[in-house]
Amino acid sequence: MGSDLKSSNVPYVAQKYRHLWIQCENCYGLNYKIKMKSKINICEQCGYHLKMSSSDRIELSIDPGTWNPKDEDMSLWILLHFIRGRNLIRSFMGGSMGSVVGEKITRLIEYATNEFLPLILVCSSGGARMQEGSLSLMQMAKISSALYDYQSNKKLFYVSILTSPTTGGVTASFGMLGDIIIAEPNSYIAFAGKRVIEQTLKKTVPEGSQAAEYLFHKGLFDPIVPRNTLKGVLSELFQLHAFFPLNPKKIK
């Protein structure tokens, strides 16, 4: 299994046996589905970081029994009454940042501010949800304003983790505002997509210029950290922050 699977029958094989296998989007190798969780969704063939659910990311980064969700019952039902296109398929809109996501992130930042807690935000989004119009765009300013109070006024510590994809309004706001900005290997990170840039500017975007490895060498963020070492890196960062806090009044 591996790159030799790049043949015309691979999509058929992957579709037919998708309950057993997950196909790598990089090398087209097949990974046994039941083992993927223990492999933290890293391709066994080439080491490519495949997509990961939010619950799996929480399990990867946080000690068991130490995380509790907030504002689970928040809904956009009332808002959707005056937004056209409310019946769009969720799979199309699910990766974008709408008003509910923006409000949840803002409340999380405000909670961390009031409790003097460090903050981690894992970004994986296609940007602001344009189906909600200006309401979704307002989330960028709202979240950034909350972060300004958290970072500049309270001098607290925010780590932003960029995964694939991180684009649009998330890149243009809280994704790039971390005191430390970490990226996953192979992540697609951009403001506008390659096709949009080329159609708008009539210029060719070089291949790989929106990949984490290329952007790292341009100084866009701090380290590129593989998933299997992420928890250790975060632990070291917070230990360092405890010894040298941004807010000296909180030394215990």
Side-chain angles (χ1 to χ4, degrees), residues 3-249:
S3 58
D4 58 322
L5 288 173
K6 291 183 179 181
S7 60
S8 59
N9 68 329
V10 168
Y12 168 77
V13 172
Q15 182 73 13
K16 184 176 180 181
Y17 299 105
R18 62 183 178 180
H19 62 292
L20 296 175
W21 304 93
I22 294 177
Q23 186 175 28
C24 176
E25 57 195 75
N26 180 57
C27 73
Y28 296 92
L30 297 179
N31 296 270
Y32 195 31
K33 197 170 188 177
I34 200 170
K35 292 184 177 180
M36 285 304 287
K37 188 168 185 177
S38 64
K39 300 291 184 182
I40 51 179
N41 281 40
I42 297 177
C43 176
E44 291 185 281
Q45 319 298 328
C46 67
Y48 188 82
H49 285 51
L50 302 172
K51 290 180 174 61
M52 199 175 196
S53 69
S54 57
S55 56
D56 285 343
R57 288 195 180 278
I58 291 167
E59 190 174 324
L60 170 68
S61 307
I62 307 296
D63 291 335
T66 62
W67 181 84
N68 292 303
K70 293 177 66 64
D71 301 310
E72 284 187 290
D73 57 348
M74 191 180 298
S75 172
L76 198 60
W77 185 83
I78 297 175
L79 181 64
L80 290 179
H81 272 279
F82 56 89
I83 295 179
R84 292 184 178 182
R86 59 184 177 274
N87 292 322
L88 290 174
I89 300 173
R90 190 195 177 280
S91 60
F92 175 76
M93 300 172 64
S96 56
M97 180 180 69
S99 301
V100 170
V101 172
E103 181 63 21
K104 284 188 174 184
I105 293 174
T106 302
R107 291 189 184 189
L108 175 67
I109 297 168
E110 290 172 345
Y111 178 82
T113 302
N114 294 332
E115 298 296 325
F116 288 90
L117 296 173
L119 176 69
I120 303 172
L121 291 179
V122 180
C123 305
S124 180
S125 174
R129 181 173 297 175
M130 299 314 295
Q131 289 82 1
E132 292 183 18
S134 60
L135 292 170
S136 68
L137 296 176
M138 286 166 56
Q139 307 311 311
M140 298 165 58
K142 183 170 71 175
I143 296 170
S144 299
S145 177
L147 278 173
Y148 178 82
D149 183 45
Y150 178 86
Q151 293 172 289
S152 299
N153 295 336
K154 296 298 189 294
K155 308 297 183 185
L156 296 171
F157 186 56
Y158 163 42
V159 177
S160 173
I161 302 174
L162 311 181
T163 70
S164 190
T166 299
T167 62
V170 173
T171 305
S173 57
F174 62 91
M176 293 299 178
L177 292 178
D179 298 298
I180 298 290
I181 303 175
I182 295 172
E184 271 194 347
N186 321 120
S187 293
Y188 177 75
I189 301 167
F191 175 65
K194 183 176 184 290
R195 177 178 55 83
V196 173
I197 295 173
E198 290 181 340
Q199 290 181 353
T200 303
L201 301 181
K202 309 301 181 185
K203 293 183 178 181
T204 301
V205 177
E207 286 297 327
S209 62
Q210 295 176 314
E213 288 72 15
Y214 176 87
L215 297 172
F216 171 75
H217 290 292
K218 297 297 181 180
L220 193 66
F221 39 76
D222 300 303
I224 296 177
V225 180
R227 284 177 193 161
N228 53 355
T229 62
L230 178 61
K231 189 173 183 178
V233 170
L234 290 173
S235 177
E236 289 181 7
L237 285 172
F238 290 134
Q239 287 179 36
L240 178 66
H241 180 246
F243 285 115
F244 305 102
L246 297 179
N247 186 351
K249 295 180 181 180

